[in-house]
Amino acid sequence: MSALNVALVHEWLTSYAGSEKVLEAVAELYPHAPIHSVIHNPAAMEGTGLAGKEVVTSFLQRMPLSRRKWNLYLPLMPLAIEQFDLNAFDVVLSCNHAVAKGVLTRADQLHISYLCTPIRYAWDLYQPYLQQSGLHRKLRGWLARWLLHRIRQWDVNTANRVDVYACLSHYVARRIWKTYRRKSFVIYPPVDVHRFKAEQKREPFYLTVSRLTPYKKVDLIAAAFTKLDLPLVIIGDGPERKNVERAAGRNVTLLGKQPDAVVNELTQQCRAFIFAADEDFGIAPVEAQAAGAPVIAFGKGGATETIIAGKTGLFFQQQTVESLVEAVQEFERSIDAFNPQACRNNAMQFSEEVFKDAYRNLVEQQWQRFSAGEPLLEP
C-alpha cells in the first residue's frame, strides 16, 4: 500500500470524539494521506494525533461561524462533500457518520467507507430528534422535515458510491443493511485499553462515566441506586445535570467532568461500572473492562458485543429503574463470578492494535483484488 496514493475523508473536524479517534488511527496507518473535511477547527484537534495534519477543506470553511456552529450548514454539506477533487488518488478511505461516503470517485478508484452509522437523526432517531430539538412545531417543523427528507434521499442515492463498507459493530451492520441494503465488514473501533490497569483492589462503590444527555439515561442510574441505597459515583456533565441531581439521593456523588487521571483511578477501583445507554458500540464499557471492572449494562446495542454475560458483566433488559435494580441485586449475589483479569483479557480484543491490523488487512486485500479486476471480497 505504500506505493499507492491514499486520500482520507471525514465529515467535519470540529471536536474530538469517537469518529475522530477512528480517523486518527487510520491516519497513523497512512501518514502521508491528506485528510478531506468540509470544516476544520485546528484548535479542537490540539493534543491529538490529528494536530498538524494536512487537511483540505470545502467552501464551508469560509462561511461565518462555521468552526463553532457547523450544524447550521448541514443542508449544504452534501454539496460540499461532492466538491473535493480526489482524481489523484488510487484509494479513498472515508470515515462516515453523516456525509463523508458521498464523495465522488471514478470507476478505477477504490472507495472503502468505515461507517460509524447512517445519519441517525435522519433515519432511526428522526422523530426523537425533532421532539428533543424543538423542531416539530409550526413552520420550523415543516422546514426541518423537508430538509431531512432531502438528506435521506441524498443518503440513499449515494450509498452505491462506496465499493466496500466496514462498520463498528454488528448492531450498526444491521442498520446499514436496513438503510442501504448493503453488507458491511465489522471492525470494532480502536479503544485506548492500555491507559488502564487491572491491578488495584476493588472498592465498594459503583461508577458511571458519561456525558449527561437524555439518551445516556444517567438519571435512571441515579434513581436506581438511590432506591438500592448503594454508593454510586457519577463522572460527567451536560444538559441533563439538573435531572440527574433531582434523581440522586445522598448515596450518589456527582463529580462533574474530571481529568483522565481521576477517571482512570476510579474506574480501576470501582466495584462495577454502570452503562444504561443504547449505543452503536460503547467505548466506556470496554474501558471499564480494561480496568478490571465488570459492567452492568442495558442489554441492547453494541454493549451486547463487548460484554460476556456472567463473566465480564450482566445485562438488564429494559431501560427502567426496576430492571436495573434487579440486575444490580443479581450482581451483588454473584460478585465472586467476575474476575478482573478476565474483564481485562476481554477488553484487549478492542485495542488500537487489533483495529489497525484488521483495517489494514481489509484495505490491502480489497485493493489487491480490485487492481487485478477480480470481484471484491464480501462480508
Side-chain angles (χ1 to χ4, degrees):
M1 292 297 294
S2 58
L4 289 177
N5 287 323
V6 176
L8 307 182
V9 182
H10 192 267
E11 273 92 9
W12 47 82
L13 293 171
T14 57
S15 64
Y16 183 72
S19 66
E20 287 75 25
K21 291 177 182 178
V22 172
L23 177 66
E24 181 180 47
V26 175
E28 290 174 1
L29 288 173
Y30 308 102
H32 302 296
I35 299 171
H36 297 73
S37 176
V38 295
I39 298 170
H40 177 218
N41 182 0
M45 299 300 112
E46 288 181 3
T48 77
L50 296 173
K53 287 287 185 181
E54 178 187 355
V55 179
V56 181
T57 57
S58 73
F59 65 87
L60 294 181
Q61 183 75 9
R62 300 184 295 275
M63 302 293 275
L65 301 176
S66 63
R67 297 186 187 190
R68 291 190 296 110
K69 300 288 186 179
W70 54 266
N71 52 323
L72 296 175
Y73 297 103
L74 182 63
L76 294 175
M77 286 185 182
L79 173 63
I81 205 75
E82 292 178 344
Q83 305 313 306
F84 287 128
D85 182 358
L86 303 175
N87 282 317
F89 303 99
D90 301 304
V91 177
V92 175
L93 304 175
S94 62
C95 180
N96 180 92
H97 59 81
V99 299
K101 71 173 177 57
V103 291
L104 301 175
T105 56
R106 301 187 312 270
D108 61 342
Q109 292 174 296
L110 175 64
H111 180 187
I112 299 177
S113 187
Y114 188 92
L115 251 69
C116 297
T117 179
I119 312 173
R120 297 207 70 181
Y121 44 84
W123 291 104
D124 59 314
L125 295 183
Y126 170 61
Q127 296 295 348
Y129 170 74
L130 291 175
Q131 293 284 337
Q132 292 171 11
S133 60
L135 294 174
H136 59 294
R137 300 186 185 94
K138 300 181 180 179
L139 183 60
R140 281 203 330 165
W142 284 108
L143 179 60
R145 286 180 170 89
W146 180 81
L147 287 173
L148 290 172
H149 171 70
R150 294 305 300 269
I151 286 174
R152 281 193 295 273
Q153 289 179 323
W154 179 87
D155 194 32
V156 171
N157 289 341
T158 59
N160 284 330
R161 295 181 186 178
V162 177
D163 298 300
V164 179
Y165 280 106
C167 67
L168 50 71
S169 67
H170 292 282
Y171 188 50
V172 170
R174 290 193 293 272
R175 192 181 305 144
I176 292 170
W177 174 255
K178 175 73 173 181
T179 307
Y180 307 136
R181 287 296 188 262
R182 293 288 301 274
K183 294 180 180 179
S184 50
F185 292 89
V186 174
I187 301 176
Y188 292 116
V191 181
D192 186 8
V193 294
H194 299 298
R195 63 181 267 209
F196 300 95
K197 296 180 180 179
E199 301 170 353
Q200 291 184 243
K201 180 182 177 183
R202 314 314 298 188
E203 300 293 340
F205 70 90
Y206 291 80
L207 175 71
T208 190
V209 180
S210 173
R211 179 160 169 75
L212 305 185
T213 55
Y215 87 97
K216 295 288 190 178
K217 303 293 183 182
V218 180
D219 58 337
L220 182 154
I221 297 173
F225 275 82
T226 297
K227 187 173 183 178
L228 286 160
D229 197 26
L230 290 171
L232 170 71
V233 175
I234 299 173
I235 295 178
D237 209 343
E240 283 288 290
R241 176 153 188 155
K242 288 186 178 180
N243 287 337
V244 175
E245 288 174 344
R246 279 194 289 266
R250 286 181 292 181
N251 58 305
V252 178
T253 303
L254 276 76
L255 295 183
K257 190 174 182 179
Q258 294 293 318
D260 286 349
V262 174
V263 174
N264 293 359
E265 188 72 12
L266 293 179
T267 308
Q268 290 165 174
Q269 292 176 349
C270 68
R271 190 166 199 173
F273 189 90
I274 312 298
F275 188 76
D278 176 2
E279 290 275 19
D280 295 335
F281 175 73
I283 289 176
V286 176
E287 292 179 333
Q289 290 174 85
V295 181
I296 302 172
F298 177 47
K300 185 178 179 181
T304 63
E305 301 176 42
T306 63
I307 299 165
I308 304 172
K311 186 175 181 181
T312 71
L314 291 174
F315 296 111
F316 57 100
Q317 299 307 317
Q318 296 177 328
Q319 284 178 314
T320 64
V321 169
E322 293 73 22
S323 187
L324 176 53
V325 165
E326 290 176 6
V328 174
Q329 290 171 336
E330 180 184 350
F331 175 81
E332 289 276 330
R333 291 191 296 267
S334 59
I335 192 168
D336 292 338
F338 303 96
N339 179 273
Q341 194 57 50
C343 294
R344 182 166 178 81
N345 291 344
N346 184 52
M348 288 302 104
Q349 66 180 306
F350 305 104
S351 70
E352 184 175 327
E353 294 83 2
V354 171
F355 168 83
K356 285 181 175 179
D357 286 344
Y359 189 92
R360 183 195 299 111
N361 289 339
L362 176 65
V363 174
E364 291 181 352
Q365 290 170 0
Q366 296 292 17
W367 172 251
Q368 186 177 18
R369 298 179 70 89
F370 183 83
S371 58
E374 299 174 2
L376 296 173
L377 295 174
E378 293 190 358

